Amino acid sequence: MFVLNIFSTTHKQRGLNRASCPPLGNYSNNHTLAYRVKCISEETRDSNSLVSSLNRKLWKTSVAGSDIPMIYSPFLEDMQNTLFASFETVEDYPLSEFLASAQSSKKPARIESWCYQCPKFRKIRLTYLDAGVAAQVFNAVWYPISSLELPILGVDFLSFGGKNVLCVMDFQPLMNDQYYLDKYIQPLHPIRERYADLAGRMSSRFYDENRFFSKELLFGRFDSTKPIYERLFPAFREYLDLYITLAKQTVEDDKSRSIIWQLQCEYDRYSAEKDPAMSLFRSYFGSTWAHRFVYEFLFENSRYESSLDNKT
């Protein structure tokens, strides 16, 4: 989502200043269990409190009643199936049991998350919030390993009351120089042109559209759920397929690890500060759970970067 202008006259690669990046500390491309546990709070650091995503399935019916459709369940299931079909090895990304799921004590609502890792991605997280007709939300973010300069894949599909539907999907660029945009963002253009109803502009109410958002994002607002299946789903499939293709084609560059790591941490920090979902989580699951969910799972590296800064 960010557009950063980091420049150096001595260490320059498409506008990036390698010298300005913090060291990686204990981070490695293996993304070991020890590292995962380190990113979780003291209360959940014991590995016994971590749960697997590999054998958990999305609920078949809504918490508010079996007659209420799980609007975005086809998207979550298709993303999971595509992930496992696309990569030979997909493993768990350790997830705290406390944060993996929650059920509201205030009103009919529940939330569940899944998290994976594979050779090209250090963290792939998927979350579904089901509050019946009142709210259905599917959110997913794919973080490439730090030796890939690939954009972050972001998905946010929301429905409130079945009449206020907002859908956003993007290859969220880590850099804004033309070489990078031509390589990773421009390929989206012909797909987006086929979906005029998903070519809207994002409001600046919560985010700066020039910061970690591309000009080729899918953005649609609808007053019913009908376009979700007729228009959004095929566009979603095309964007996801292209993203995985680019990931497989992109060559790893270990020399870029520190700068990519820093930019992904910056993405987490910015998103944690700006994401309006905090108030939604708070309304259903309380302030404590919402805060920990945002800072310990959704955008956990917004906290980790600070610890790196303290070591420099």
Side-chain angles (χ1 to χ4, degrees):
M1 293 180 189
F2 289 24
V3 176
L4 299 180
N5 182 21
I6 306 174
F7 183 78
S8 169
T9 57
T10 56
H11 298 281
K12 182 171 66 175
Q13 180 183 356
R14 297 196 296 276
L16 296 178
N17 181 2
R18 298 185 183 281
S20 68
C21 303
L24 288 176
N26 293 329
Y27 174 78
S28 76
N29 278 340
N30 292 327
H31 308 291
T32 61
L33 176 62
Y35 167 73
R36 293 293 191 284
V37 174
K38 186 175 182 180
C39 288
I40 298 172
S41 70
E42 293 287 349
E43 295 84 4
T44 59
R45 191 165 289 180
D46 186 344
S47 62
N48 291 330
S49 70
L50 302 179
V51 298
S52 171
S53 296
L54 295 177
N55 299 316
R56 288 187 291 117
K57 302 293 185 181
L58 182 64
W59 327 287
K60 295 298 183 182
T61 59
S62 170
V63 68
S66 59
D67 58 327
I68 298 174
M70 300 282 288
I71 296 172
Y72 297 114
S73 62
F75 294 83
L76 184 146
E77 291 169 354
D78 185 82
M79 181 172 281
Q80 288 175 319
N81 291 338
T82 300
L83 168 64
F84 281 87
S86 300
F87 298 98
E88 189 172 327
T89 303
V90 177
E91 300 175 341
D92 264 318
Y93 181 116
L95 177 58
S96 157
E97 183 177 10
F98 177 75
L99 301 175
S101 62
Q103 185 140 350
S104 176
S105 60
K106 303 176 182 180
K107 39 195 162 183
R110 59 187 172 182
I111 189 171
E112 186 151 3
S113 297
W114 297 258
C115 206
Y116 311 99
Q117 57 184 321
C118 67
K120 291 284 187 176
F121 295 94
R122 64 174 182 83
K123 178 181 180 182
I124 298 172
R125 61 170 177 80
L126 296 77
T127 295
Y128 200 104
L129 187 154
D130 164 39
V133 174
Q136 296 272 322
V137 178
F138 170 50
N139 173 264
V141 176
W142 293 41
Y143 294 87
I145 57 176
S146 60
S147 55
L148 291 182
E149 62 177 13
L150 196 69
I152 292 170
L153 177 67
V155 175
D156 214 8
F157 299 158
L158 309 94
S159 173
F160 299 104
K163 297 180 179 180
N164 186 3
V165 177
L166 174 64
C167 305
V168 183
M169 184 172 185
D170 197 14
F171 293 8
Q172 301 185 269
L174 297 175
M175 314 170 202
N176 70 328
D177 61 274
Q178 200 58 49
Y179 175 90
Y180 183 89
L181 299 177
D182 288 345
K183 184 176 181 179
Y184 296 112
I185 306 303
Q186 182 60 29
L188 288 169
H189 185 71
I191 302 176
R192 189 172 185 262
E193 280 198 320
R194 294 196 290 272
Y195 299 94
D197 46 352
L198 292 169
R201 291 283 302 276
M202 186 182 64
S203 167
S204 59
R205 179 180 178 187
F206 297 109
Y207 295 105
D208 178 353
E209 66 176 347
N210 295 313
R211 229 178 168 192
F212 284 132
F213 285 102
S214 82
K215 302 298 183 184
E216 303 296 339
L217 86 166
L218 292 178
F219 184 91
R221 285 185 181 275
F222 309 106
D223 57 10
S224 76
T225 59
K226 186 177 179 181
I228 291 175
Y229 307 110
E230 294 181 352
R231 299 294 291 164
L232 180 63
F233 190 76
F236 163 82
R237 287 294 306 122
E238 289 195 63
Y239 266 49
L240 181 58
D241 287 347
L242 176 59
Y243 187 70
I244 291 174
T245 297
L246 288 174
K248 290 182 175 182
Q249 292 175 348
T250 302
V251 178
E252 294 184 37
D253 178 9
D254 285 337
K255 294 179 181 179
S256 297
R257 285 179 58 216
S258 60
I259 186 63
I260 298 302
W261 171 250
Q262 183 191 38
L263 291 170
Q264 288 189 5
C265 288
E266 185 69 13
Y267 169 92
D268 268 16
R269 185 169 64 246
Y270 179 80
S271 299
E273 292 172 356
K274 297 291 186 178
D275 197 327
M278 174 73 86
S279 59
L280 179 67
F281 299 144
R282 189 182 296 121
S283 70
Y284 284 117
F285 309 110
S287 298
T288 299
W289 189 91
H291 187 273
R292 289 185 58 183
F293 186 66
V294 169
Y295 285 97
E296 296 178 27
F297 174 60
L298 294 186
F299 307 113
E300 63 184 339
N301 287 336
S302 61
R303 305 181 311 127
Y304 189 62
E305 187 190 33
S306 296
S307 68
L308 290 179
D309 290 342
N310 292 336
K311 294 179 181 179
T312 60

